[in-house]
Amino acid sequence: MSQLDPFLSRLDRARRASKRLATVTTTQKNAALEAIASALEHGVDEVVEANAKDLARGAENAIGEGLLDRLRLDADRLRGLAAAVREVIALPDPVGQVVRGSTLANGISISQVRVPFGVVGAIYEARPNVTVDIAALALKSGNGAVLRGGSAAEHSNRVLVSLIQRAITSTGLDGDAVQTIDEFGREGASRLMRARGYIDVLIPRGSAGLISTVVQESTVPVIETGSGIVHVFVDASADEEMAVSVVKNAKTHRPSVCNAAETLLVHRDAAERMLPRLAGELIGAGVELSGDDATRSAVEGVISADEQTWATEHHALEMGVRVVDSLDEALAHIERYSTRHTDAIVTQDYANAERFLAEVDSAVVMVNASTRFTDGGEFGFGAEVGISTQKLHARGPMGLPELTSTKWLVRGAGQIR
Amino acid sequence: MSQLDPFLSRLDRARRASKRLATVTTTQKNAALEAIASALEHGVDEVVEANAKDLARGAENAIGEGLLDRLRLDADRLRGLAAAVREVIALPDPVGQVVRGSTLANGISISQVRVPFGVVGAIYEARPNVTVDIAALALKSGNGAVLRGGSAAEHSNRVLVSLIQRAITSTGLDGDAVQTIDEFGREGASRLMRARGYIDVLIPRGSAGLISTVVQESTVPVIETGSGIVHVFVDASADEEMAVSVVKNAKTHRPSVCNAAETLLVHRDAAERMLPRLAGELIGAGVELSGDDATRSAVEGVISADEQTWATEHHALEMGVRVVDSLDEALAHIERYSTRHTDAIVTQDYANAERFLAEVDSAVVMVNASTRFTDGGEFGFGAEVGISTQKLHARGPMGLPELTSTKWLVRGAGQIR
């Protein structure tokens, strides 16, 4: 065990610390979280200085204003991060929760309880706030964390992790529980994906490309968080006011996030009644529409849609519009193009609502509500670990319990078979 | 979609059939299962004839009496398989079960319900009974199944799958839901492991080598079922009668299975009191013991243990025995060698029992009970899909609910953010 290379010995430190962390009390973990929040407030100068180096390098490399903004940390944003850590303190500790249990006929008592995974790995891009986020969520759920935040935020992440480690240590827990592997570069990321025995679950957060690479290359189990090609289907019977309000909100409330709608499907009967108004309100709100022929003949100023339109997550005020002849055609379109994140129907028809709920195979399926509600906070989970678009372990918005595994405790009095 | 090669078009048929299967009623699925059970009873001649070819080839290739026995199907075993299918009929259908739900402050109702994964892939070795087992469990849980049973059982599996397909079709469901890919050989198995979009979860069943290959090579999510290096620790305070009875049962009741004990750890104080009797009873039951120096000086006829002793799942009447100075030393041994399947302590000490339960990081942790109780049937799950030794999605004995995912149903009245 003493001959581990620097990379594996970094992972091993997290692993060893995580074993101790698995059995400490909620009170102890909350004290460590409070120390982190306080360190973020008092370490502003140190963090901002490191962040300035990342920003300077980002500007040199002309990474663009959007990325620079995501990269930037200032006193205000650090206060925000500290507040987010305190929100995690307020959440119930999932560790030790009894999921189910029973007493067997022979008198043996069995109970399934939540336990930490061990070490959570995270691979993400250029957003130093994720460093604090994941560290806090992992700590509260009793997990170690190994973070790979990307070279663009390397200086910021190094200072943040060091500050987090010192804060944890100051409360008597083992600061080694949180580690960064940014300085090991791309090779470090590759090795992290294959570090079975050191990393128990890997969470990629970022672009579709990043997530797909992690899914393809990892031998460590992955929780895939998701890109969202999200659909709203306005059924024949839809109420016009509701349809306008839901579609506008789903598209324009925050177009850059994964639960924003990308494609509007409209039943032919509804299109006759309300497509000009629906499209007009979207265009009025600054949305650029690409539509099929039926849409373009009903509405002016609509670009011609192609295959790419339906297969793209725009992250912007752009939307594809297609008129369909039936619920079946809407379901077939969703089946083909949805990334199985969130899809919604607007309808007044009971049978169609139930059929949509039953047949759409997505993490979240909605009737008469904005797709923007697919969110851990909105669902009442307090903090959001991400939105899982896979079917194994977690699906949809993930809270702290999704960062745990379970084990069975069996208490007997000498029973044998 | 029409240009799929023969392999992918086989998978695609399962995928399409699984979509229809996801929404059929329990009554319809049970009727299909009853048709399968009945077909197994009436198809004896057909199956036995095909099985004879596999047996003949196995004998030619000198695969050994043990493997030949696992491969063999006769009227009796087929009746047994039919009975197992009828047990699956009796189990509650997990699909549609509401896991949790609430009404949000804005009036939106959310509920998380169980849904099928889609298509379950299975890779296993030379046991045609697994073909029927997995097909029945998949069908009841609304999943399609793609089966790769290994070339040794190719003829038997082909006839069994054809019989299952016809039985399903005879009840009006889509027989394409169950497929075999045995004829695509090793390349088929490799492609199955990378068939994202066609296969939703892959379950390997068989040797440690097979499982490790699947885990390393798959890009499809895997549920790792497990090999068991299972420990029993006899603590200083253990009751002698209980220790003898639990250890003997754990080792000798069925030594070939994964929940059988492989290593006995004995606290020095307990060793003084009872190791000669404990070892004597094991030897008397035909168990070959390998021990450390302390064990060998206390008991005659014990082979000298080495590193391999502790790291081997014997599947036989062989056991490693080690005397430890403390609970800490026992925990360290288990931490190092356990495959995290099942580990047990025999003790009368409350604090040690609770510490063992808290600190041993295994799927099932036991106090004063035989490790043989780690079993879906014993836990009251009715049927057993396998015993998961991974931490993601399922851990320990898996029942039908572990073959499902969930989705969130959101019902609103036009709410927006």
Side-chain angles (χ1 to χ4, degrees):
Chain A
M1 296 299 230
S2 58
Q3 279 119 352
L4 295 176
D5 66 44
F7 178 80
L8 282 184
S9 83
R10 181 80 51 100
L11 267 48
D12 195 53
R13 282 214 290 285
R15 198 178 62 91
R16 285 163 188 270
S18 78
K19 292 196 180 295
R20 291 183 284 270
L21 196 58
T23 53
V24 306
T25 63
T26 309
T27 306
Q28 288 174 289
K29 292 186 285 190
N30 284 346
L33 287 165
E34 177 52 42
I36 292 170
S38 164
L40 289 167
E41 292 167 335
H42 291 94
V44 172
D45 293 348
E46 194 187 353
V47 176
V48 168
E49 193 188 318
N51 187 243
K53 291 183 201 163
D54 289 330
L55 289 171
R57 194 166 60 175
E60 262 172 47
N61 296 342
I63 62 173
E65 199 40 57
L67 278 181
L68 278 178
D69 183 58
R70 286 168 160 210
L71 191 53
R72 184 170 293 117
L73 290 175
D74 54 26
D76 237 35
R77 289 191 174 177
L78 285 167
R79 265 194 301 277
L81 281 175
V85 172
R86 292 202 174 94
E87 279 171 30
V88 174
I89 295 176
L91 294 177
D93 185 346
V95 175
Q97 284 177 355
V98 179
V99 177
R100 54 181 166 160
S102 64
T103 301
L104 307 183
N106 59 15
I108 283 179
S109 136
I110 66 174
S111 57
Q112 186 183 31
V113 300
R114 290 202 184 281
V115 295
F117 271 125
V119 179
V120 174
I123 299 187
Y124 49 100
E125 284 163 338
R127 299 185 69 160
N129 60 311
V130 176
T131 303
V132 177
D133 240 33
I134 300 266
L137 293 165
L139 180 58
K140 180 75 181 221
S141 53
N143 291 293
V146 174
L147 307 167
R148 150 73 183 173
S151 54
E154 191 178 336
H155 296 97
S156 314
N157 286 336
R158 185 180 309 144
V159 167
L160 285 170
V161 167
S162 154
L163 174 155
I164 289 167
Q165 289 174 330
R166 281 177 280 145
I168 295 174
T169 304
S170 76
T171 65
L173 298 185
D174 189 342
D176 272 351
V178 178
Q179 299 288 346
T180 169
I181 55 157
D182 281 356
E183 76 257 40
F184 295 98
R186 276 172 189 277
E187 198 211 331
S190 290
R191 292 188 70 185
L192 186 67
M193 295 183 212
R194 307 190 73 86
R196 287 183 72 88
Y198 293 94
I199 304 294
D200 295 284
V201 62
L202 194 54
I203 303 179
R205 269 171 72 163
S207 67
L210 169 82
I211 292 167
S212 146
T213 301
V214 172
V215 164
Q216 293 291 330
E217 292 188 11
S218 285
T219 57
V220 171
V222 173
I223 297 181
E224 196 178 343
T225 61
S227 53
I229 297 181
V230 167
H231 299 78
V232 180
F233 170 51
V234 176
D235 192 20
S237 63
D239 175 84
E240 183 172 331
E241 295 308 320
M242 191 191 290
V244 169
S245 149
V246 165
V247 171
K248 241 175 93 174
N249 187 261
K251 179 69 247 182
T252 67
H253 183 253
R254 206 174 155 197
S256 65
V257 294
C258 61
N259 60 18
E262 303 296 351
T263 300
L264 171 63
L265 302 171
V266 186
H267 190 282
R268 190 163 300 279
D269 299 350
E272 278 171 25
R273 268 197 298 137
M274 65 174 99
L275 185 53
R277 180 177 162 208
L278 203 47
E281 297 237 12
L282 287 165
I283 292 169
V287 180
E288 185 184 282
L289 300 182
S290 305
D292 64 350
D293 291 345
T295 303
R296 297 182 74 212
S297 65
V299 186
E300 293 213 354
V302 175
I303 304 163
S304 179
D306 58 16
E307 183 67 19
Q308 263 314 97
T309 308
W310 320 122
T312 302
E313 184 177 8
H314 301 99
H315 284 303
L317 286 174
E318 297 169 33
M319 190 172 216
V321 188
R322 182 178 163 195
V323 175
V324 295
D325 287 332
S326 61
L327 173 57
D328 282 301
E329 207 177 314
L331 290 171
H333 182 106
I334 291 170
E335 169 67 23
R336 177 145 182 209
Y337 295 104
S338 173
T339 53
R340 310 196 186 291
H341 181 296
T342 301
D343 296 292
I345 185 174
V346 182
T347 189
Q348 296 297 320
D349 184 288
Y350 176 80
N352 286 359
E354 291 301 314
R355 208 183 139 205
F356 192 87
L357 288 169
E359 295 190 18
V360 173
D361 181 24
S362 296
V364 185
V365 191
M366 297 183 166
V367 178
N368 296 346
S370 167
T371 57
R372 289 279 295 125
F373 285 110
T374 297
D375 175 274
E378 294 292 326
F379 272 29
F381 300 166
E384 180 168 279
V385 177
I387 294 173
S388 165
T389 51
Q390 73 180 31
K391 290 184 175 176
L392 209 67
H393 184 73
R395 199 174 188 209
M398 293 187 285
L400 279 178
E402 279 70 33
L403 282 185
T404 64
S405 180
T406 57
K407 72 179 177 188
W408 286 95
L409 306 182
V410 173
R411 292 175 166 96
Q415 285 89 341
I416 59 169
R417 281 179 76 180
Chain B
M1 294 302 230
S2 58
Q3 280 120 349
L4 294 176
D5 66 44
F7 178 80
L8 281 185
S9 83
R10 181 80 50 100
L11 267 48
D12 195 51
R13 283 214 290 285
R15 197 178 63 91
R16 285 164 189 269
S18 78
K19 292 195 180 295
R20 290 183 286 270
L21 196 58
T23 53
V24 306
T25 64
T26 309
T27 305
Q28 288 173 288
K29 291 185 287 190
N30 285 346
L33 287 166
E34 177 52 40
I36 292 171
S38 164
L40 288 167
E41 291 168 336
H42 291 94
V44 172
D45 293 348
E46 192 186 354
V47 175
V48 168
E49 193 188 319
N51 187 241
K53 291 184 202 165
D54 289 330
L55 289 170
R57 195 166 60 173
E60 261 173 49
N61 296 341
I63 63 171
E65 200 38 57
L67 277 182
L68 278 178
D69 184 58
R70 285 170 160 208
L71 191 53
R72 183 169 293 117
L73 290 174
D74 55 26
D76 237 35
R77 289 192 174 176
L78 285 167
R79 266 195 300 277
L81 282 175
V85 172
R86 293 202 173 95
E87 278 172 29
V88 174
I89 295 176
L91 295 177
D93 185 346
V95 175
Q97 283 176 356
V98 179
V99 178
R100 54 182 167 158
S102 63
T103 301
L104 307 183
N106 58 16
I108 284 180
S109 136
I110 66 173
S111 57
Q112 187 183 30
V113 300
R114 289 202 184 282
V115 295
F117 272 125
V119 179
V120 175
I123 299 187
Y124 50 99
E125 286 163 337
R127 300 185 68 159
N129 61 311
V130 175
T131 303
V132 177
D133 240 34
I134 300 266
L137 293 165
L139 181 57
K140 180 74 181 222
S141 53
N143 292 292
V146 174
L147 307 168
R148 150 72 184 175
S151 54
E154 189 178 338
H155 296 98
S156 315
N157 286 337
R158 186 180 309 145
V159 167
L160 285 170
V161 166
S162 155
L163 175 156
I164 290 167
Q165 288 174 331
R166 280 177 280 145
I168 295 174
T169 304
S170 75
T171 65
L173 298 185
D174 188 342
D176 272 351
V178 178
Q179 299 288 346
T180 169
I181 56 157
D182 281 356
E183 75 257 40
F184 296 99
R186 276 172 188 278
E187 198 210 331
S190 291
R191 292 187 70 185
L192 186 67
M193 296 183 211
R194 308 189 74 85
R196 288 183 71 89
Y198 292 94
I199 304 294
D200 295 284
V201 63
L202 194 53
I203 303 180
R205 269 171 71 161
S207 67
L210 170 82
I211 292 167
S212 146
T213 301
V214 172
V215 164
Q216 293 291 329
E217 292 188 11
S218 285
T219 56
V220 171
V222 172
I223 297 182
E224 195 177 344
T225 61
S227 53
I229 297 180
V230 166
H231 299 77
V232 180
F233 170 51
V234 175
D235 192 20
S237 64
D239 175 82
E240 183 172 331
E241 294 309 319
M242 191 192 288
V244 168
S245 151
V246 165
V247 171
K248 242 175 92 174
N249 187 261
K251 178 69 249 181
T252 68
H253 183 253
R254 206 173 156 198
S256 65
V257 295
C258 61
N259 60 19
E262 303 296 351
T263 300
L264 171 63
L265 302 171
V266 186
H267 189 281
R268 192 163 297 279
D269 299 349
E272 277 171 27
R273 268 197 297 139
M274 65 173 100
L275 184 53
R277 181 179 162 208
L278 203 46
E281 297 235 12
L282 287 165
I283 292 169
V287 181
E288 184 184 284
L289 300 182
S290 305
D292 64 349
D293 292 344
T295 303
R296 297 182 75 212
S297 65
V299 186
E300 291 212 357
V302 175
I303 303 162
S304 178
D306 58 17
E307 183 67 19
Q308 264 313 99
T309 307
W310 319 122
T312 303
E313 183 176 10
H314 301 100
H315 284 305
L317 286 174
E318 296 168 34
M319 190 172 216
V321 188
R322 183 179 163 194
V323 175
V324 295
D325 287 333
S326 61
L327 173 58
D328 282 299
E329 208 177 312
L331 290 170
H333 182 106
I334 290 169
E335 169 66 25
R336 177 144 183 209
Y337 295 104
S338 173
T339 53
R340 313 197 183 289
H341 181 295
T342 301
D343 296 291
I345 185 174
V346 181
T347 189
Q348 296 298 319
D349 185 288
Y350 176 79
N352 287 0
E354 291 301 314
R355 210 184 136 202
F356 193 87
L357 288 170
E359 294 190 18
V360 173
D361 181 25
S362 296
V364 184
V365 190
M366 296 184 166
V367 178
N368 297 346
S370 167
T371 57
R372 289 278 295 125
F373 286 109
T374 297
D375 175 274
E378 294 292 326
F379 272 28
F381 300 166
E384 180 169 282
V385 177
I387 294 173
S388 165
T389 51
Q390 72 180 30
K391 291 183 174 176
L392 209 68
H393 184 72
R395 198 174 188 207
M398 292 186 285
L400 280 177
E402 279 70 34
L403 282 184
T404 64
S405 180
T406 57
K407 71 179 178 189
W408 286 96
L409 305 183
V410 173
R411 293 175 165 95
Q415 286 88 342
I416 59 169
R417 280 179 77 180

